[in-house]
Amino acid sequence: MGRLFWKFFFFIAIAQITATFGVGVLFWIENLERSNRNSEIDLSPPASFMIRSAAATLQFGGPEALRSLINEGRPHRLQLYAVDENNQDLMGREVSAHLVAQARRVLTTERDRRVVELVKAANGHSYLMFIPTPNDEFGPPPGGMPGPEPRFMKEHGPKPLFFPTMPIVVALLASLVFALLLAWYFSHPIRHLKNALNQAANGNLDLELEPVMSARNDELADLGRDFDVMTSKLRTLMESQRRLLHDVSHELRSPIARLQMAIGLARVQDKDKLELTLERIERESVRMDKLVGELLTLSRLEANVPGSMEEAIAIQPLLADMTNDASFEAEALGKAVESSIDCRVQVKGNPELLYRAIENVLRNAIKHTAPETAVQVVTEIDEDNKLLHLSILDRGPGVPEEEMDSIFELFFRSSRTKSNSAGHGLGLSIARRIVEAHQGFIRAANRRDGGLRVDITLPFMADEPARGETLES
């Protein structure tokens, strides 16, 4: 059992034991108060009537008249006591001192005053008159003389004060059992979580808590599921890092090998061939510099530090400049770029990054579209949802359907274009991350009549320019 288990057990047990003792003491006090309230003096209306009658008889007829009244009483009627200052009954009967003391207490209460009377007689004595409770505990013994005390007290002594010992013992045992169960219920999944965290700290991210906590439906189970999601993302991230390291090493190995070979040739070649070797070295260094630049951009995007993302980007002039530049490149390759751009909206973000993302997709389309064909750039505005839809369509070989979900992954090159592609497979990956950083999304699909279609969706700002106005104005 861990420390957390005993902490749970200790505090739950203390709370339950305190509550048990508190309830037990309250019951004990209530029982004591009830015992004090159970008067042995008759408080009924007939007793009150008899006391008033006896008081009038004593006051106007004297002790002898009262004695005659008491003697005339039948055995089944209420019996009356008249006790003087020395606790001597008028009839010479023995009276319990406890009964007399209780009668004097009743006399001091206003509510029950009429069932006990203190009357001063003509002979100078004051008589306390009361009637005991008319039950078998105070019934007269044979001969008509009242007993000095109840039969229960005579046979068993005074009733003991009741303290709920057995209920408290049972409640304590139940409290300890339930404290153990509650402590185990809370600490058991936490121990599993602690073990899983230790395993994760040691590099083992395969341990899952869902099978262990599947029977629970509380916050601890939610914490276990969140832990599984965290480890799953960490596994994906670590696999991505390992794959990135492998792919970067692979991509850098080829240009470095060619550089080394070119440097070796430069050392033994004639001076007239040296210029060609230097051009090769420069070309390979440019490729490496481009690769490193793309990796740095990718690293910034992965680390969520893409720079300022608060600028208002006018999309129409940005696309116009981009398509104009791309047209020159396409014409040199015997291809064309056709644009249908009508999107006088502004997107919030980083203009340099957004330009690079769209340009990567557009250049990729120009690279793979067939000769004598055109790449189309089309925009559409969704006014209701405030979304800009940008589509770039080419007439290239397309992508196999089984590879469609992978073309935006790092260093991925389609099997249809891998042999004639000079890129590194980073352009579409960078484009996806930039678009996602602008709260948008990108997807690709093959065209029915051949080629690839890449759709970019971006949210635009609500305060767009009025119709008929250009962003420059």
Side-chain angles (χ1 to χ4, degrees):
M1 298 296 179
R3 290 171 294 174
L4 186 61
F5 172 86
W6 291 113
K7 287 181 180 179
F8 272 123
F9 172 75
F10 175 76
F11 286 110
I12 294 173
I14 287 296
Q16 292 184 342
I17 289 172
T18 303
T20 300
F21 268 104
V23 172
V25 170
L26 287 177
F27 273 112
W28 177 66
I29 294 174
E30 176 65 20
N31 179 70
L32 182 61
E33 183 67 22
R34 189 183 298 113
S35 298
N36 291 335
R37 290 198 303 265
N38 288 340
S39 176
E40 298 174 5
I41 304 299
D42 192 350
L43 308 179
S44 64
S48 177
F49 175 76
M50 285 289 296
I51 290 296
R52 287 198 297 270
S53 298
T57 301
L58 177 62
Q59 187 173 8
F60 296 105
E64 292 300 328
L66 180 60
R67 188 178 290 113
S68 298
L69 177 65
I70 295 175
N71 283 331
E72 291 176 0
R74 298 175 183 176
H76 64 275
R77 295 179 63 183
L78 301 175
Q79 63 181 35
L80 184 144
Y81 288 87
V83 181
D84 60 13
E85 300 90 342
N86 300 320
N87 290 346
Q88 298 297 321
D89 181 47
L90 180 66
M91 303 297 294
R93 298 168 294 185
E94 293 184 7
V95 184
S96 169
H98 170 72
L99 196 59
V100 176
Q102 191 173 41
R104 294 189 185 279
R105 283 198 301 270
V106 172
L107 184 64
T108 60
T109 62
E110 184 66 26
R111 179 172 59 88
D112 300 327
R113 179 176 176 79
R114 302 305 298 172
V115 296
V116 178
E117 289 288 350
L118 181 63
V119 179
K120 189 171 183 179
N123 60 2
H125 291 285
S126 295
Y127 291 93
L128 178 68
M129 289 178 291
F130 60 89
I131 299 174
T133 302
N135 53 35
D136 59 348
E137 295 293 320
F138 297 95
M145 296 298 293
E149 55 185 357
R151 288 203 301 271
F152 178 87
M153 296 178 64
K154 181 177 179 181
E155 297 174 2
H156 305 283
K159 291 183 179 180
L161 293 178
F162 171 73
F163 189 80
T165 305
M166 185 56 68
I168 287 181
V169 171
V170 174
L172 285 178
L173 292 177
S175 298
L176 292 177
V177 171
F178 280 101
L180 285 170
L181 292 176
L182 282 173
W184 178 86
Y185 180 79
F186 285 116
S187 62
H188 182 67
I190 295 177
R191 285 202 306 274
H192 283 295
L193 182 60
K194 177 178 178 293
N195 179 51
L197 289 171
N198 288 334
Q199 294 287 336
N202 293 327
N204 180 17
L205 299 176
D206 297 326
L207 185 63
E208 294 184 355
L209 293 176
E210 177 66 23
V212 180
M213 298 186 178
S214 58
R216 301 177 66 98
N217 188 22
D218 52 17
E219 286 77 4
L220 290 175
D222 294 339
L223 184 61
R225 285 188 283 270
D226 292 341
F227 174 83
D228 290 343
V229 173
M230 179 191 71
T231 54
S232 176
K233 291 183 178 180
L234 285 176
R235 284 197 303 270
T236 303
L237 181 60
M238 292 179 66
E239 289 294 331
S240 175
Q241 289 179 342
R242 282 194 290 265
R243 187 170 62 252
L244 177 62
L245 182 60
H246 173 270
D247 293 340
V248 169
S249 301
H250 176 75
E251 293 293 333
L252 288 176
R253 183 180 297 140
S254 297
I256 289 176
R258 289 191 290 268
L259 278 174
Q260 291 175 341
M261 183 176 63
I263 292 173
L265 290 175
R267 290 175 177 173
V268 297
Q269 281 182 341
D270 298 334
K271 290 185 177 180
D272 55 345
K273 296 182 179 180
L274 184 60
E275 187 66 26
L276 294 176
T277 304
L278 291 177
E279 290 179 1
R280 176 180 291 274
I281 293 174
E282 181 181 9
R283 187 165 58 251
E284 296 298 334
S285 64
V286 169
R287 283 176 54 85
M288 291 181 61
D289 180 69
K290 183 179 179 181
L291 175 60
V292 171
E294 290 180 343
L295 289 173
L296 288 175
T297 301
L298 187 63
S299 176
R300 289 174 55 200
L301 294 172
E302 291 286 355
N304 292 323
V305 286
S308 175
M309 301 291 291
E310 301 297 326
E311 296 186 43
I313 307 169
I315 294 297
Q316 183 153 329
L318 181 142
L319 291 177
D321 292 342
M322 187 184 304
T323 53
N324 288 336
D325 294 339
S327 295
F328 288 107
E329 179 182 344
E331 289 175 1
L333 300 174
K335 305 173 184 179
V337 175
E338 298 176 356
S339 61
S340 176
I341 303 172
D342 184 14
C343 52
R344 296 181 178 87
V345 296
Q346 294 180 335
V347 173
K348 186 177 181 180
N350 187 309
E352 180 183 353
L353 288 179
L354 189 60
Y355 186 96
R356 183 167 185 175
I358 301 174
E359 184 186 40
N360 282 346
V361 178
L362 182 58
R363 288 183 179 277
N364 190 70
I366 294 173
K367 183 187 300 182
H368 295 107
T369 194
E372 307 300 327
T373 61
V375 173
Q376 296 177 308
V377 181
V378 182
T379 60
E380 183 180 352
I381 299 297
D382 184 354
E383 294 285 356
D384 296 334
N385 298 313
K386 302 298 180 184
L387 293 175
L388 164 67
H389 299 288
L390 169 65
S391 300
I392 299 177
L393 306 91
D394 64 46
R395 291 292 182 182
V399 177
E401 292 296 332
E402 64 271 12
E403 298 178 358
M404 192 64 67
D405 294 334
S406 303
I407 62 174
F408 296 103
E409 300 296 329
L410 294 174
F411 297 104
F412 179 82
R413 282 178 284 185
S414 174
S415 57
R416 294 182 181 175
T417 60
K418 189 173 183 179
S419 59
N420 60 354
S421 176
H424 302 96
L426 291 175
L428 291 180
S429 300
I430 293 175
R432 186 188 70 176
R433 284 161 175 77
I434 292 175
V435 170
E436 290 176 350
H438 286 78
Q439 309 303 317
F441 57 90
I442 184 172
R443 58 179 178 269
N446 287 317
R447 302 175 66 183
R448 292 183 178 179
D449 50 352
L452 187 70
R453 175 191 182 109
V454 178
D455 295 314
I456 299 174
T457 301
L458 295 168
F460 61 83
M461 301 169 64
D463 52 343
E464 57 181 288
R467 292 295 181 185
E469 296 181 2
T470 63
L471 290 169
E472 292 83 0
S473 62

